[in-house]
Amino acid sequence: MLYSGLLGAVVAAAISAVRLPVPRVHDEFSLLLAADTFASGRLTNPTHPLWQHFETFHVIHEPSYASKYPPLQGVMLALGQLAGHPIVGSWLATGLAVAACCWMFQGWLPGRWALVGACAVALHHGIQFYWGQSYWGGAVPMAGGALLYGAWGRLRRGPRLNAALLMALSVGILANSRPFEGMVACVPVGAALLVHWISARKANGRVWFRDVVAPAAIALAIVGSAMAYYNDRVTGDALRLPYQVHEETYSDTPLFVWQDPRPKPVYRHAAIRDFYADWVHGWYTDQKSTASAAVNSAALLPFFLSPFLAVTMVMLPWIARSPKMRFALAAVGIVLVATLAIPWEPRAHFLAPVGSLLFLLMLQGLRQLYQSRRVGRMVVWGILAGHATLFTVAALRYPNVELPAWSTARMRISERLEAEPGKQLVLVQYGRDHSPHEEWVWNAADIDAAQVVWARTTSDGATQQLRAYFSDRRTWILDADARPAPLLELAPRAQDHPSAQPSAHPQNRSWR
């Protein structure tokens, strides 16, 4: 297990060594804010007095300044940041996911097949190139799900204290990474555990209570108290999640498709309005259609069913003969159905809590093939070789995969400003046809202490107030939608009229 986890982390690090991942979606920047917050020794940040200039996606500013997301992915990235770079946290999470999957397989399959499965996970294209090379995660809830089902695989054979505590830990991981899908993933395990306990009460009910129920309950109480404390610090209410605060502040789209839309918020910035009123609401409307939602949810499966491993699904009728595998199929189906209720664009990490079960089913298919004469063994070796070859080809192509132009431009400009003497303020301006997916206004946890501050321009008076607040900084104006590349120009001096063109000042400089 240890070696398989190390393999997963080392492979992720080797890929990043070729090209360091660049954040390019809203979620990544929000989680990097969480990482910076935790790495600074805080659970959240005070609201900035001029916070309206720093509004952005998936971030709350009142009652505190924080990411809307559950904290665990941010914690992993914070560990990476303390180690030198946030991406180290993604490597660590990937390694933990592979190790957890190996441990889970050991509770369901013979040892050698557990090792085969762990290697298949460590060399899986999606897990390494999508989760291992980004900042928005998937590996953390996959590790939580693997611990959950691995603990159940052991508890079904009898009460074990270590398995009970790991199951409680897995529930905490899921609750703090993918709360909704994680809760759904726990339902079949909870039901099976309850039935198992009731049926065993006459024989060894006291042992079950002593070694499983009581310690798990105590551990879950500690986890729940920690979550309540975090919520209280961030939102001022122990029972109110940052996610809820954000959605109620910025989006009229409900949390689930069966709910009605909320009243539309008042937006201060066009890009934020376009994102929530058009794109997010469009997905809510699309997911309201059962047929469309079913297609969207089914499209999540190919992420795990890589072309070669998917061949093992032809053995599904034989796989389903095992009661253990029927349980795994049911658990996957329950979570897959639950994703129909999410009014967002479906993403692979929605299924992360049951990712280990999907690999388990594919491994069982390999076992069935391997036991079916010599030809079956050759097919199995061919599938594993093809899986490894596909990963190798993807690794060789990775340096040439084109990144979004705006994200690389933002990184380049940010690095140049970080190298400038003194502190910098960037006033971001968008064109009329700006895409809300290309967001430039992201800031560090401590905005006032940051080397570079990114801000939205509003009215002339508000912008003057912003510049007066940051009078110790050089001010730049960024035209994010200039073509052929974003244009950054040194702004006029604060005493000049704010409507003056940047080029009117003799000290102007511009970068593309």
Side-chain angles (χ1 to χ4, degrees):
M1 184 181 74
L2 177 62
Y3 293 122
S4 63
L6 185 61
L7 173 64
V10 168
V11 169
I15 296 171
S16 296
V18 176
R19 186 178 67 188
L20 199 64
V22 177
R24 54 187 184 274
V25 295
H26 299 160
D27 312 67
E28 292 182 283
F29 288 100
S30 176
L31 288 164
L32 287 170
L33 167 63
D36 194 33
T37 301
F38 300 147
S40 301
R42 299 186 299 274
L43 293 179
T44 189
N45 308 286
T47 299
H48 195 278
L50 299 177
W51 63 269
Q52 293 89 346
H53 290 275
F54 310 120
E55 286 183 284
T56 190
F57 303 101
H58 310 318
V59 171
I60 64 172
H61 289 271
E62 291 184 323
S64 67
Y65 170 44
S67 168
K68 78 172 187 181
Y69 287 113
L72 203 49
Q73 176 66 15
V75 169
M76 297 302 296
L77 295 178
L79 292 176
Q81 182 168 323
L82 293 173
H85 195 282
I87 197 60
V88 177
S90 291
W91 306 344
L92 178 60
T94 302
L96 290 175
V98 174
C101 284
C102 183
W103 182 78
M104 179 257 193
F105 298 150
Q106 289 171 345
W108 291 70
L109 300 172
R112 63 175 180 173
W113 286 101
L115 180 59
V116 169
C119 291
V121 174
L123 299 180
H124 187 272
H125 177 277
I127 290 171
Q128 285 291 1
F129 290 96
Y130 181 33
W131 292 346
Q133 304 306 313
S134 71
Y135 302 92
W136 66 346
V140 171
M142 184 173 173
L147 290 176
L148 174 71
Y149 295 112
W152 167 239
R154 288 160 174 80
L155 287 174
R156 65 191 301 274
R157 298 196 292 264
R160 299 184 181 189
L161 176 61
N162 61 345
L165 292 176
L166 283 172
M167 180 175 284
L169 173 64
S170 72
V171 174
I173 292 173
L174 292 171
N176 287 282
S177 56
R178 297 297 308 174
F180 173 63
E181 302 92 340
M183 178 193 69
V184 175
C186 291
V187 170
V189 173
L193 188 60
L194 180 62
V195 171
H196 208 75
W197 179 36
I198 292 174
S199 64
R201 284 184 66 181
K202 291 183 179 180
N204 56 354
R206 290 185 178 180
V207 177
W208 269 88
F209 183 81
R210 183 193 66 200
D211 292 347
V212 177
V213 178
I218 293 172
L220 288 175
I222 295 172
V223 170
S225 299
M227 292 174 63
Y229 179 72
Y230 176 76
N231 292 338
D232 182 67
R233 291 295 306 275
V234 178
T235 70
D237 185 338
L239 300 180
R240 198 175 186 212
L241 301 173
Y243 196 101
Q244 292 174 276
V245 173
H246 177 273
E247 296 305 290
E248 292 167 5
T249 303
Y250 289 106
S251 179
D252 67 327
T253 301
L255 295 177
F256 301 103
V257 294
W258 60 76
Q259 297 175 319
D260 295 325
R262 293 183 291 269
K264 286 189 178 295
V266 176
Y267 294 106
R268 283 170 284 271
H269 308 287
I272 295 178
R273 179 198 61 222
D274 292 345
F275 179 77
Y276 289 106
D278 296 338
W279 191 80
V280 173
H281 199 84
W283 272 106
Y284 164 70
T285 303
D286 191 48
Q287 290 289 97
K288 290 278 283 186
S289 165
T290 304
S292 178
V295 171
N296 293 334
S297 294
L300 301 177
L301 290 172
F303 174 87
F304 299 93
L305 301 174
S306 66
F308 288 96
L309 293 181
V311 174
T312 62
M313 290 297 98
V314 301
M315 304 300 295
L316 196 58
W318 291 269
I319 293 172
R321 291 178 181 177
S322 165
K324 294 191 298 183
M325 297 303 153
R326 287 199 296 270
F327 173 86
L329 282 167
V332 170
I334 290 171
V335 174
L336 191 61
V337 170
T339 63
L340 300 175
I342 303 173
W344 281 82
E345 179 184 12
R347 297 284 186 176
H349 46 263
F350 290 7
L351 289 185
V354 292
S356 59
L357 289 182
L358 286 164
F359 281 107
L360 173 69
L361 292 168
M362 288 183 281
L363 277 175
Q364 183 67 4
L366 286 174
R367 287 185 68 205
Q368 296 283 354
L369 281 171
Y370 196 80
Q371 294 167 4
S372 58
R373 301 179 184 178
R374 183 175 299 178
V375 174
R377 296 187 177 190
M378 293 176 62
V379 171
V380 168
W381 285 114
I383 289 172
L384 294 175
H387 179 72
T389 301
L390 183 67
F391 179 84
T392 302
V393 171
L396 293 174
R397 294 179 56 188
Y398 177 72
N400 299 318
V401 174
E402 187 175 356
L403 296 175
W406 79 270
S407 62
T408 53
R410 187 186 187 280
M411 178 191 67
R412 176 176 55 82
I413 289 176
S414 179
E415 289 175 347
R416 295 185 70 172
L417 289 175
E418 291 280 354
E420 286 281 309
K423 295 182 177 180
Q424 318 294 321
L425 170 66
V426 183
L427 303 178
V428 180
Q429 296 179 345
Y430 293 137
R432 184 170 297 178
D433 298 325
H434 174 74
S435 169
H437 300 284
E438 300 178 2
E439 180 54 54
W440 289 71
V441 180
W442 302 101
N443 285 289
D446 188 346
I447 294 176
D448 286 350
Q451 174 71 15
V452 181
V453 171
W454 305 77
R456 298 182 185 277
T457 55
T458 54
S459 65
D460 286 349
T463 301
Q464 280 185 309
Q465 183 184 14
L466 179 71
R467 294 189 65 180
Y469 182 90
F470 289 110
S471 59
D472 61 330
R473 296 173 179 263
R474 281 193 301 174
T475 302
W476 303 81
I477 295 177
L478 173 73
D479 184 351
D481 295 315
R483 294 295 179 265
L487 179 63
L488 183 72
E489 296 184 312
L490 193 62
R493 292 173 301 191
Q495 62 266 32
D496 292 340
H497 193 277
S499 63
Q501 294 298 318
S503 58
H505 196 273
Q507 296 182 358
N508 260 350
R509 286 190 289 160
S510 63
W511 292 339
R512 280 196 184 275

